[in-house]
Amino acid sequence: MTSGTRSGDHTDPCTLLISESLSDLRSRHEACLVVISGERLGARVELGDNPVVIGRGSDADFQIASRSVSRSHCRISTARDGQVWIEDLRSTNATYVNDQRIERHCLSDGDQVRIGKSMLKFLGAGNVEVGYLNELREHALRDELTELYNRRHFMQALADMLSECMRRRDAEMVLAIIDIDYFKNINDRIGHLAGDAVLRQLSRLLSERVRSNDTLARIGGEEFAVLMPDTSVAAAREVCERLRDAVRSSPFELDDGQRETVTISIGFSDFSADMDSMSDLLKRADTYLYKAKSKGRDRIMGPAA
């Protein structure tokens, strides 16, 4: 599941490196590139059998949305002997490895690749640093209170998925925005600690009911979002209704033993051919959320199937 994890699933990054043998770690760490500075800090570029094009364009395999990066900036490929090669694709600002301009270069473990204003580090197969960096990145992408993904990660996931939809116009994708009804009243009436307890319990409820390939995040104080790839409007409506019903029918237990009734409103929208940017999809989902609120709350609103 790509949503938040249950409490207790997180591991101390330091513990991660000593809890497994070095041979186990090396056997499951494939070669990759990790962004260590600039746009998409912390993101990992997986390197498999197929070449990976890095660039600004929507058709790039790994997109870096910066004007310092060409639409198709460079290509990373793995040879049959396991060596990893990087090739500049006649980019405007060139590709650099360890501060040396390259046309084509065989990467070695620890090499630093500069693409525009972003720096990436190459970690060869078996490098145990991969696991450590993955754990650090996971912590950086999580909301501290709810353990769901945070707004920064969600917006990047949305941008990546939107690029895929623009590249493949028959792709289906739905964005849902969830807001807790009258949450300010909860904070004012029983306090912010109780409000935090509500947020944590709501996060667990939502996590247990989104699908395994959906991305769930906390994007604001009492606002959450679900990104649903390869999903029709009809299927998205069923998901949203399941979430709304689960929240309405679940008593929220506070630390002092009190029980609180909580409801949510949801606005959702699918990606359509007339959309040119991420803001178009966000605005449309937010408009439906406003309609759900204005019509009495505890309901969902979205386009007709």
Side-chain angles (χ1 to χ4, degrees), residues 129 267 295:
E129 190 177 354
K295 289 182 177 294

Side-chain angles (χ1 to χ4, degrees), residues 154-155 158 173-179 219 223-228 236 240 265-272 274-275 277-294 299-303:
F154 186 82
M155 297 303 284
L158 177 58
M173 175 184 73
V174 174
L175 166 67
I177 300 178
I178 303 167
D179 191 80
I219 60 172
E223 197 167 72
F224 299 79
V226 185
L227 189 57
M228 294 177 262
C240 292
S265 297
I266 306 177
F268 72 93
S269 177
D270 61 326
F271 170 79
S272 58
D274 63 333
M275 293 182 182
S277 68
M278 187 164 59
S279 62
D280 290 341
L281 182 58
L282 287 164
K283 286 178 182 177
R284 194 166 297 180
D286 197 56
T287 297
Y288 280 118
L289 175 62
Y290 177 79
K291 290 181 179 179
K293 290 283 192 181
S294 63
R299 65 188 63 214
I300 63 175
M301 293 291 293

Side-chain angles (χ1 to χ4, degrees), residues 9-205:
D9 285 354
H10 287 295
T11 306
D12 188 317
C14 296
T15 306
L16 176 71
L17 292 181
I18 62 175
S19 61
E20 303 175 75
S21 69
L22 288 177
S23 60
D24 288 340
L25 284 166
R26 287 182 177 132
S27 66
R28 63 183 179 83
H29 289 156
E30 302 296 332
C32 66
L33 285 160
V34 177
V35 182
I36 59 174
S37 69
E39 289 278 345
R40 302 201 63 176
L41 177 65
R44 173 173 165 168
V45 184
E46 304 286 354
L47 303 176
D49 296 331
N50 296 322
V52 175
V53 173
I54 300 176
R56 190 183 76 249
S58 61
D59 56 345
D61 299 302
F62 184 83
Q63 189 176 22
I64 301 177
S66 170
R67 294 198 174 195
S68 63
V69 177
S70 295
R71 293 187 61 82
S72 295
H73 198 101
C74 63
R75 180 189 296 114
I76 318 289
S77 56
T78 304
R80 290 185 178 180
D81 59 5
Q83 290 187 320
V84 177
W85 292 83
I86 182 169
E87 176 186 3
D88 184 73
L89 299 177
R90 298 181 180 179
S91 62
T92 302
N93 294 320
T95 301
Y96 294 81
V97 176
N98 301 326
D99 290 327
Q100 299 294 316
R101 181 171 180 165
I102 61 97
E103 296 296 331
R104 189 169 184 267
H105 181 85
C106 183
L107 292 171
S108 299
D109 189 35
D111 279 351
Q112 294 193 0
V113 178
R114 179 154 54 89
I115 301 171
K117 295 180 180 179
S118 291
M119 186 73 75
L120 297 84
K121 185 175 182 179
F122 174 69
L123 301 176
N127 189 322
V128 296
E129 190 177 354
V130 175
Y132 177 70
L133 290 175
N134 282 347
E135 190 70 14
L136 287 181
R137 177 175 181 258
E138 188 69 10
H139 279 274
L141 298 179
R142 296 285 175 179
D143 173 64
E144 185 175 355
L145 177 66
T146 65
E147 297 186 358
L148 299 182
Y149 283 125
N150 58 28
R151 181 182 181 87
R152 177 180 177 181
H153 174 74
F154 186 82
M155 297 303 284
Q156 184 60 60
L158 177 58
D160 290 344
M161 199 171 295
L162 195 62
S163 294
E164 174 64 20
C165 287
M166 289 181 172
R167 192 162 55 232
R168 187 168 57 91
R169 283 289 175 172
D170 62 336
E172 292 183 306
M173 175 184 73
V174 174
L175 166 67
I177 300 178
I178 303 167
D179 191 80
I180 303 176
D181 298 327
Y182 303 111
F183 185 70
K184 183 178 184 301
N185 291 349
I186 296 175
N187 279 333
D188 292 345
R189 181 165 44 84
I190 53 180
H192 288 275
L193 289 179
D196 287 350
V198 168
L199 289 170
R200 285 192 293 267
Q201 290 179 60
L202 176 66
S203 300
R204 287 195 294 271
L205 274 172

